Amino acid sequence: MSSGTIGAMDLPAGERSDATRWRRRTLLDLAVGYGLILIVIWTPAPLRSVLYFVAVGWVGFATWSSFDSWDAMGVRMKGFVSSLWVVGVAFCISVGAALLARRLQTLHAPHTPFRFVESFWGYAIWSLFQQFLLQDFMLRRLQRLMPDRRVAVLVAAGLFALAHLPNPVLTVMTLIWGVAACMVFLRYRNLFTLGIAHVILGVCVAISVPATVQHNMRVGLGYLKYRPHGQHHLNQMDHKVSTVAWVTAEAPTRRS
């Protein structure tokens, strides 16, 4: 070992044992939580609803039992202003994509501000929750298990994207966004700007990409079972489903 560097074998036996148990517990929390998410995604109703609450319960318990501080989790105002540029970039990208979709005649936004808010308010809440899953539940645990933060970022983004299979649009986008969001989080440690940017980008996909391509933002079994029923928009449940990538609504509401 180089001077000033302490490895696991340099620790006393008792501390090595505690460190091993700590790593095992971290790995268990992550593996069980992520495994439950995948199971929910690929489980049909009505069992899916039961497993959904099991998964939420496990994530909540794991977060509570390993809680450090709200500051460490990014639930704070510090870093908000300095990271607002992320929201600006997301907005510019979304405006450009929406203009292109309008030109290609694939833009299908709700017709009124009320319908827009009605369709996407739940999506906004779940976007922030998804950032919590990515940054706090996955990335921070992977950092504890992996010495290289760059590897932790890539693994977190990869797991995030895999949870959106087999949706090709969301899988590619979440891989790119996953890497970017993790890097921004490590720099500014703020969940709120990431949640806002996530909402903007997600809404952009929902209203710009044809439903026949992104299947109403569904993932897993819901993506495979999707059947178009004329012209329609995304309902609130569909937004919660795709954003968190946990469950899928069986039928979207029709656009009036």
Side-chain angles (χ1 to χ4, degrees):
M1 300 293 294
S2 60
S3 177
T5 302
I6 300 177
M9 296 305 296
D10 297 316
L11 297 173
E15 292 186 24
R16 288 203 304 270
S17 179
D18 290 341
T20 300
R21 286 196 297 268
W22 177 75
R23 288 177 58 85
R24 287 176 178 173
R25 173 58 191 275
T26 301
L27 181 59
L28 178 67
D29 287 348
L30 180 61
V32 173
Y34 187 74
L36 285 171
I37 291 173
L38 295 183
I39 291 172
V40 171
I41 290 171
W42 292 97
T43 299
L47 181 58
R48 179 180 61 228
S49 298
V50 177
L51 293 174
Y52 169 80
F53 287 105
V54 173
V56 170
W58 179 265
V59 171
F61 170 76
T63 301
W64 171 79
S65 61
S66 62
F67 181 79
D68 293 327
S69 68
W70 293 114
D71 200 68
M73 293 172 63
V75 184
R76 61 180 191 170
M77 291 308 299
K78 184 179 180 180
F80 179 80
V81 175
S82 57
S83 61
L84 270 177
W85 63 268
V86 179
V87 177
V89 171
F91 181 78
C92 291
I93 292 174
S94 298
V95 169
L99 291 175
L100 177 61
R102 184 177 181 179
R103 183 179 181 85
L104 297 175
Q105 298 184 345
T106 62
L107 189 66
H108 50 280
H111 298 303
T112 66
F114 176 79
R115 291 297 300 273
F116 194 93
V117 173
E118 182 184 37
S119 296
F120 292 106
W121 71 267
Y123 180 74
I125 296 173
W126 285 97
S127 293
L128 181 60
F129 184 62
Q130 187 176 18
Q131 292 306 139
F132 159 77
L133 289 174
L134 174 59
Q135 266 73 60
D136 288 320
F137 187 74
M138 290 195 291
L139 177 62
R140 292 182 65 229
R141 283 176 172 77
L142 287 169
Q143 282 187 280
R144 299 168 190 169
L145 296 171
M146 300 175 178
D148 192 331
R149 60 188 291 176
R150 293 170 297 183
V151 175
V153 166
L154 291 176
V155 173
L159 293 176
F160 187 56
L162 286 175
H164 289 78
L165 287 173
N167 191 314
V169 177
L170 295 184
T171 300
V172 173
M173 288 199 64
T174 52
L175 178 61
I176 297 172
W177 170 247
V179 172
C182 287
M183 293 175 64
V184 171
F185 180 78
L186 292 177
R187 173 65 177 85
Y188 298 99
R189 194 71 62 169
N190 190 287
L191 278 182
F192 298 120
T193 48
L194 293 175
I196 296 171
H198 187 128
V199 174
I200 294 172
L201 293 172
V203 170
C204 174
V205 174
I207 67 176
S208 300
V209 181
T212 53
V213 176
Q214 40 93 347
H215 289 197
N216 273 13
M217 303 279 279
R218 299 183 182 206
V219 298
L221 190 61
Y223 180 88
L224 298 179
K225 294 176 64 177
Y226 171 79
R227 296 293 182 271
H229 298 286
Q231 189 180 24
H232 52 269
H233 70 85
L234 301 177
N235 67 7
Q236 179 181 322
M237 179 59 73
D238 286 326
H239 293 313
K240 289 192 290 186
V241 167
S242 61
T243 307
V244 187
W246 284 29
V247 292
T248 53
E250 293 299 325
T253 56
R254 293 180 181 273
R255 178 185 295 166
S256 58

